Amino acid sequence: MIDFTLSETQDMVKQMLHWFAENEVRPLALEADRTHQIPMEFIQKVKDLGISMGGLPKELGGEGDGVGGGKDKGGVKQGNRIAVIGAEELAWGDPALILTLPGPGLGGPPIAIMGTPEQKAKYLGIFKAKEPKWGAYGLTEPGAGSDVAGIRTTARKDGDHYVLNGTKCFITNGARASWVTTFATVDATKGRAGHRAFVVEQGTPGFRVGKIEEKMGLRASETAELVYDECRVHKDALLGGEAYYEGKEGFMGAMKTFDTTRPMVAAMAVGIARAAYEKATAFAKENFELGRPIARYRHVEELVARSKRRIDAARLLTWRAAWMADASIANAKEASMSKAYAARTAVDVLADLVQVMGAAGVMNDQFVEKWFRDIKVYDIFEGTGEIQRIVISKRLIANLKSF
Ligand SMILES: Cc1cc2nc3c(=O)[nH]c(=O)nc-3n(C[C@H](O)[C@H](O)[C@H](O)COP(=O)(O)OP(=O)(O)OC[C@H]3O[C@@H](n4cnc5c(N)ncnc54)[C@H](O)[C@@H]3O)c2cc1C
């Protein structure tokens, strides 16, 4: 039986992060969007407060599983639920700022899943430092986005080293990251079985940052191209070591990451949609047409009611996927369901709520205009909506188990 009454810890995180989002994050959002810059003082502040994107494993003084949070009253871990609750609140504040929180980010889970104790200490240990640091996740390539099996970045063995050649694109925090978990193939003819995961540190000869992308939304979040040109990494940077890879472990490590991160992405989409809902409904109550509040027009009532219904449904799917992860129940299908539904729904909700506000909704001193631009990417990154639907239907039809 699923009970979504918040535990004391979950509620405390929600209240605390909501306060932070309202008072520290939201006031910076429009300016950060305009300048494509997040002030360093803000980043240092979140670091000092211990707010991060991804946590540390137990052996490094963290709370385990990369998310922490202990257990709820029923004895079930609650780190994934805390993560989605926190992600909704912070994205409510601003989605670009949350993607820039210091920490291992999406690059962390593959290290936690596949890494040796030494690799975890080396690459995740850096986040104990007082100054902000980032990790990044390098999977997507020109020509290999949804088609993950088609990655063409090569890893050639050369003595005790591997030599990487290829280009990764659209990598979040790719330029500011201390290291990038980089997926490459040792043999492209083997498809998924050829995949390996390396941790490539900034400053490694042959590794450089290419262009920084200009985007429609999430403008203050850094999206970088990364170039590997005869980039030599020691075999110690191969996650799990050579013996770890008997079959498709590299590919599965890349995919398993998403079982916990897709609900996070869904939660962010819910946070943005909720923020827009609050703005638009306040607007509809305060603004009048033909002598009555906009909120009293039937069409507006329908848009508002539909938005709220969809936001709540998206949150429930998200919390279910996070609860399953906490309870160690395979959740790949439910994680994809939450991501597919929340992202698509939030895109529709934003379109409806901009409509509710009329011209005010498209003015760029209004948050709703920004969120309308920000939200689209949620239906694209971490697997497009179409790919989520394939993941879901494969599991439904073929009754495949989670990775
Ligand atoms: C802001 C941003 C941040 C990102 N951050 C990262 C990051 O940190 N690390 C990283 O590795 N990547 C990152 N990405 C990349 C992201 O994961 C990819 O953009 C995404 O996987 C889609 O790949 P693509 O853009 O190549 O689109 P494509 O795969 O080319 O898809 C184009 C269209 O074709 C559809 N399509 C493709 N294949 C199929 C299929 N088999 N069946 C049905 N439809 C299909 C898609 O759904 C889509 O509509 C980021 C992207 C953005 C925009």
Side-chain angles (χ1 to χ4, degrees):
M1 177 69 175
I2 303 175
D3 176 3
F4 287 130
T5 312
L6 298 192
S7 71
E8 212 174 298
T9 315
Q10 291 165 15
D11 193 44
M12 191 187 72
V13 168
K14 183 175 165 58
Q15 304 300 336
M16 191 191 89
L17 290 183
H18 186 76
W19 184 92
F20 184 72
E22 187 166 24
N23 295 288
E24 303 281 355
V25 178
R26 186 72 73 81
L28 296 178
L30 290 178
E31 183 63 9
D33 183 61
R34 265 191 287 274
T35 58
H36 304 195
Q37 289 289 333
I38 309 238
M40 206 49 211
E41 308 84 70
F42 168 81
I43 289 174
Q44 187 63 59
K45 192 183 277 182
V46 296
K47 176 72 189 167
D48 294 343
L49 286 170
I51 302 171
S52 74
M53 190 54 101
L56 291 178
K58 272 199 178 113
E59 56 269 36
L60 296 178
E63 294 187 76
D65 291 353
V67 282
K71 294 188 173 171
D72 64 17
K73 272 191 187 152
V76 178
K77 284 188 296 176
Q78 56 181 346
N80 288 287
R81 277 169 291 166
I82 288 175
V84 296
I85 289 165
E88 179 180 334
E89 295 311 317
L90 289 172
W92 179 95
D94 186 66
L97 292 171
I98 168 176
L99 290 177
T100 313
L101 293 181
L106 208 53
I111 298 176
I113 294 164
M114 295 188 273
T116 62
E118 295 73 31
Q119 289 170 330
K120 288 181 195 175
K122 178 173 178 187
Y123 301 119
L124 299 179
I126 65 165
F127 298 104
K128 290 204 258 181
K130 284 199 164 52
E131 69 273 21
K133 290 182 186 295
W134 290 264
Y137 178 87
L139 179 65
T140 305
E141 300 177 2
S146 302
D147 177 21
V148 175
I151 56 169
R152 287 290 174 269
T153 294
T154 53
R156 188 180 76 241
K157 186 87 193 286
D158 183 17
D160 279 347
H161 289 78
Y162 284 86
V163 182
L164 272 54
N165 279 290
T167 301
K168 297 287 175 183
C169 56
F170 313 136
I171 308 305
T172 301
N173 295 322
R176 51 163 59 98
S178 300
W179 48 252
V180 181
T181 301
T182 302
F183 292 86
T185 177
V186 288
D187 183 350
T189 63
K190 286 192 176 153
R192 293 163 185 188
H195 290 194
R196 301 289 182 272
F198 299 89
V199 182
V200 180
E201 295 174 84
Q202 286 291 359
T204 306
F207 176 52
R208 67 178 171 83
V209 175
K211 67 172 170 174
I212 306 292
E213 303 290 350
E214 299 276 328
K215 306 189 293 300
M216 172 174 88
L218 299 179
R219 288 181 178 170
S221 164
E222 178 186 271
T223 308
E225 177 191 54
L226 302 174
V227 181
Y228 305 75
D229 180 8
E230 290 292 291
C231 168
R232 288 177 75 81
V233 292
H234 194 269
K235 65 178 183 182
D236 289 349
L238 174 63
L239 283 181
E242 290 177 333
Y244 179 81
Y245 298 86
E246 290 174 348
K248 297 178 184 168
E249 288 77 9
F251 172 79
M252 283 157 75
M255 294 300 106
K256 185 121 188 76
T257 300
F258 297 133
D259 293 354
T260 49
T261 59
R262 280 180 178 155
M264 290 269 286
V265 172
M268 290 181 215
V270 171
I272 301 166
R274 188 185 111 209
Y277 173 82
E278 290 171 14
K279 283 270 180 211
T281 48
F283 180 93
K285 278 193 245 171
E286 288 158 13
N287 286 275
F288 287 67
E289 279 301 328
L290 297 175
R292 53 169 152 151
I294 294 168
R296 299 289 301 279
Y297 283 96
R298 171 59 60 87
H299 177 64
V300 171
E301 284 171 346
E302 276 170 12
L303 292 181
V304 165
R306 188 168 68 186
S307 298
K308 178 73 172 125
R309 194 173 71 228
R310 288 171 156 184
I311 292 167
D312 284 4
R315 184 184 297 108
L316 286 173
L317 284 176
T318 303
W319 285 12
R320 178 180 70 168
W323 172 81
M324 289 174 77
D326 279 339
S328 303
I329 299 170
N331 75 337
K333 172 165 55 62
E334 289 76 9
S336 281
M337 280 182 174
S338 68
K339 199 313 199 155
Y341 184 78
R344 183 64 237 175
T345 285
V347 170
D348 292 343
V349 163
L350 258 295
D352 283 349
L353 295 174
V354 167
Q355 193 68 18
V356 165
M357 292 179 68
V362 294
M363 294 298 137
N364 65 11
D365 59 348
Q366 293 288 330
F367 286 94
V368 172
E369 178 269 347
K370 176 183 153 358
W371 294 326
F372 189 42
R373 288 187 282 106
D374 288 340
I375 197 64
K376 183 57 201 160
V377 82
Y378 283 79
D379 202 25
I380 294 172
F381 62 10
E382 292 219 19
T384 63
E386 291 75 18
I387 295 304
Q388 306 304 329
R389 289 184 271 282
I390 291 173
V391 172
I392 296 163
S393 62
K394 269 192 177 164
R395 278 168 177 74
L396 287 175
I397 293 163
N399 199 21
L400 293 177
K401 288 215 162 72
S402 170
F403 289 117

